Amino acid sequence: MFEANMDEEWTAGYREPCVQCSAVDWGVSDEGRFYCRSCHNVIERTREVVDPTFTPGSSRVSTIGKGSRTKKTERGHQWNICEGFQFILKKQAEALIRLGVSPRLKDEVLCELWRLYLQKSGQAFTDRPLTSFRVNVRGLDSDSESAAEFSGRSVSDTDGETVASSTVLSNAGSSVDPPPCSGSSDAVSYLTAQQLRSSSLMTMRKTLALIHIALVWIREALTLSDLLRLVNEGHVPYVNAFEELPDEMKLEGKDHLIFKVETIPSHESVHKEAQALLHVLQLPPFPPISCQSLLHPALLSLRYLTELNLPDELHLWVCRLMEQAGLEDQTVHTVDPLTLYVLPRYGVQTAALIVVTMKAVFGGVLRQTGEQDDSGNLFNLRRWYKLLQAALIRAQQNKEHDTARKQWRSKRDVSTSRNRKWVAVKKKRTAEQVQICFERLSSRPAGVERIGPSSFRFCWGDEDGADGPGLHHLTLDGVLTLKHGVLTPSHSTYWHPALQQCNYWRCRSHYLKLEPTLPRMFVWLLKLFSFLLDVKPASLYEEVLRVERRVFGSRTPWRKTKTETKTETKTKTKCRPKTKTKTRPETETKTAKTDR
Amino acid sequence: MMDDLERELGRFEDLKHEDDFSDDNSTRGSKRTKPRRMHAETPRETGFHQSTRICLEHIREALLHHRWQEAAEYMACYPQKLEDTATSQSEQYTELVWRLSTEILHQHPNSKLDDYNSIYERMKHSGIRHYLMICLEHSFHLLLNGHIENAKNQLSAAESWRYGKESGHVRQQQIVKLIQAYRSLLDYMIWCDKRFTHFDTDPSSISNADMHNYFRQASVNLKEILRNPGVWDPFILSYVEMLDFYEDYEEALNVLKNYAYDNTFPPNPNAHVYLYQYLKRHEAPERKLIKVLKILQVLVPSHELMLEYSSLLLQSERKKDTQKALEVVLEMLAFACWKSNLDAWKRLKDIIEKLQLEKNWKDVVSDKMAERKNWWPALHFTSFHFRTDSEENPELVEVKASLTKILCPDLTMKYSAGQESA
């Protein structure tokens, strides 16, 4: 190390043992960071502390010396974009494991998925690497090494002097001198390939899709909505994930276009990506999602019912409807090559199921009628609505406040071209100074205060800070009557929007057009669930229609109902979508009677 | 403030050179002909843009409702917008941050001068278009808080600012003039300060030399500035005071005369007032004073100096002047501020008395009253006025009553208690 002599001077005072190897042998890297010379662990301590409170002062003269810009060669090595993604995925998995997900996620599942992905997309593990990348990759014989590489990779392993054997090599061969420039070696070709093929190349959004697939594989209780919420709240690295890349992997030039994100992707888009990835990966059948698994509607609905302060009794009805719709069968929920890798939208489907149940139990238009409650034991829809509406408004406002306060920029310099760099640095410093000034003035730090992550948005009960009293214990006797010795919902009619013929392949959602004609309570219910799951009401509406179609049976040729409905459904009008029926908006169908 | 920015947006089209200094790569190919509205939501907005847009809305709401603490809290979250590379309007956002920050600092109870300094310095150096304006504003703020030397330093630094094409732009040139003017004013203030604290009659003392220095610096600039058409009241006064002190009376008079009589300057009654006061101080002959006030009377018939004017006219020998005095006072009394003024009415009485020495005074009076006789009595001589005047100013009643018959011989209204005659 050419800096060896100077290091003694600077690190003379620092005698702490290294966290990783317990040695006391410190050096100073080019940026002034202390690093342990035996295991190359970099710590936070820096040689000089830049004073953030420095203001330019009234002197106009500020020189930017051209000479000092050419720094000494930084310790970097050539790295590929997919290496960067690998690292980021690892960090994301670790974050999830810290939050309580099973450790199998990282080593068993995600690692394998990643390798499979690299293989299928031709970036690694293949004899014939993609020609659009300059860099060659190693062959198939290094499977074991790669496993070690993935799980064991950390800053301490990478040695700047020699290129680690498990990483991709340059054309010239291994063990080259560190090149004078840093940044990834294939950003440009990566981008053009991406544009050319709009293909399976990894993007930041796809990392979330891959993680979602991994979570489904291990049948973890996190739905896609939960995952995206964790990402949004910052518990899972995403927005500035590249900050966690080791120092050797410096981002320069075009790298930022790949790794920098300024939006949390929507539920729909990640689901689409995951669907596409499944087709690429061609996985074997997934572990089945049975009734005992937390992603299955039977148990997931219980979670949503609790979250939304609905009575526990409703769960019984949800399960009945689930059976009637044929949704209790585990094959419906399991990803399988036989079903063409259809990835179910677990949360959305369960929410739709609950909506349909409520429509059935409380009457199609969800109006609270009937006797007043004196004993205080009966569940009252109007009261529930008032509670939830207040809580929903509060939650929406808080979400909006958090959105306004959210900080997106990273601490690291992010600029796409070298000549713009000084402008970017200056702007960053300006922004920081103004921020510090107002943080001091308002005595409140910028950004959203990080509270502990929680799956639940609402809290019901009698404690302080609860959104309202709990209604879980109430009974549904107000809406149920005894018919033929069996409890059935008192409302025997069911409301359904008019059927109309439309082109399955071309039509998107009819929700926006239909929304003014729908019952207000129904629309509000859609909005409530959409807020909970962070999806658009339109997609939830489509799912509700789909569930209804399953419940009432449909004779469309492409779908075979797996389970027979054990009860009769008497319909007044036919429900075949092919017929052009100009029905009045209120079609009435008698609800199914169950004798269980 | 938002509307000002909207207006400014129209002007940014011609300053295409901003793309030299903004680092957006995304709009490299297509240059927009019309600048996008800053605060509207675009169809495919990134999360970052959404956050900053909502943050801005919250800041605006908080400011409109005077919730300063909340505004400060959101303002701490907003500066990330300055780092946005995907906008072609980075200068606008710099201006936005500048104006919002200063507004919040003005209103928030805990703001300190250090905060102001820090914000001004940062915003100054973060864009070129607003550098001079921010310098000016900064120095105003320092001035208002008593840091005169600092304020002056700011302006001196700003004066010598050059930045390629931008500094040659017309708008910037205008601001430079302002900066020079205010720097001179600050020099004058320092000069004043030195004069009253350190001045001694020894002409060769060192502190005096310092003081003279300031005078020289100030006068060089002021002389230049005062050539430009405009309203330069405080600057004129300071310049004249300094000139007076150094006994350069001719120059002072010149300056004042130019200010008052130059047609390219906007009409400014104060100019005449200053000239009058100067002449009066230096005991100019009455004819000159009358001449100056004549124009003032045309500009502002209700001016407070009109009373003096009328007394000057009264003192003069010429008959015409007495008639003029009558006219002046009659005009004065039509205004609400003079209507019930005892001195004005007394003056009128004096004028009438002097007029009555002439033979044709009745003609003169009726001549002057001719254009007024429809509305003057109703304005002054009704029984309502009698009642109010009796309550507020009994002496006035006497004076007015004595003049009723003279001014309005065929008056039907009675300026007395009792009903009005039909």
Side-chain angles (χ1 to χ4, degrees), chain A residues 20 69 181 282:
Chain A
Q20 292 201 334
R69 286 271 295 277
C181 66
Q282 300 286 311

Side-chain angles (χ1 to χ4, degrees), chain A residues 54 57 262-263 401 403-409 416 420 426-428 431 433 435 438 440 442 444 446, chain B residues 23 25 46-48 51 55 58 69 73-74 76-77 79-80 82-83 90 101 110-111 115 121-122 125:
Chain A
F54 170 71
E262 286 187 347
T263 312
H401 290 160
T403 311
R405 297 187 66 88
K406 189 174 165 81
Q407 298 295 296
W408 293 81
R409 309 305 287 184
T416 45
R420 306 287 192 211
K426 200 165 79 148
K427 289 195 175 180
K428 186 180 278 296
Q433 278 304 303
Q435 180 177 325
F438 279 98
R440 201 175 41 225
S442 63
R444 185 176 171 188
Chain B
D23 57 337
N25 293 313
T46 65
F48 173 46
S51 284
C55 192
H58 280 275
Q69 172 64 15
E73 285 174 7
Y74 280 111
C77 306
Q80 56 176 341
L82 292 175
E83 298 185 57
S90 49
S101 324
N110 294 345
S111 57
D115 298 326
E121 287 298 333
R122 283 290 162 188
H125 296 286

Side-chain angles (χ1 to χ4, degrees), chain A residues 115-181:
Chain A
R115 275 182 14 197
L116 203 55
Y117 161 77
L118 287 176
Q119 188 172 32
K120 297 281 181 187
S121 62
Q123 289 170 65
F125 299 95
T126 165
D127 294 327
R128 280 189 234 149
L130 298 167
T131 49
S132 47
F133 292 100
R134 280 186 281 126
V135 189
N136 284 344
V137 298
R138 58 194 168 81
L140 278 165
D141 52 333
S142 337
D143 282 10
S144 53
E145 274 178 285
S146 73
E149 152 224 329
F150 192 91
S151 46
R153 186 190 187 91
S154 66
V155 177
S156 56
D157 281 353
T158 47
D159 186 353
E161 299 297 274
T162 61
V163 177
S165 60
S166 55
T167 59
V168 260
L169 315 173
S170 69
N171 273 335
S174 59
S175 63
V176 290
D177 298 321
C181 66

Side-chain angles (χ1 to χ4, degrees), chain A residues 29 33-36 40-44 75 155 247-248:
Chain A
S29 76
R33 285 263 190 91
F34 279 35
Y35 72 96
C36 171
H40 300 285
N41 176 34
V42 179
I43 60 170
E44 285 303 303
R75 285 157 29 96
V155 177
D247 289 337
E248 287 84 15

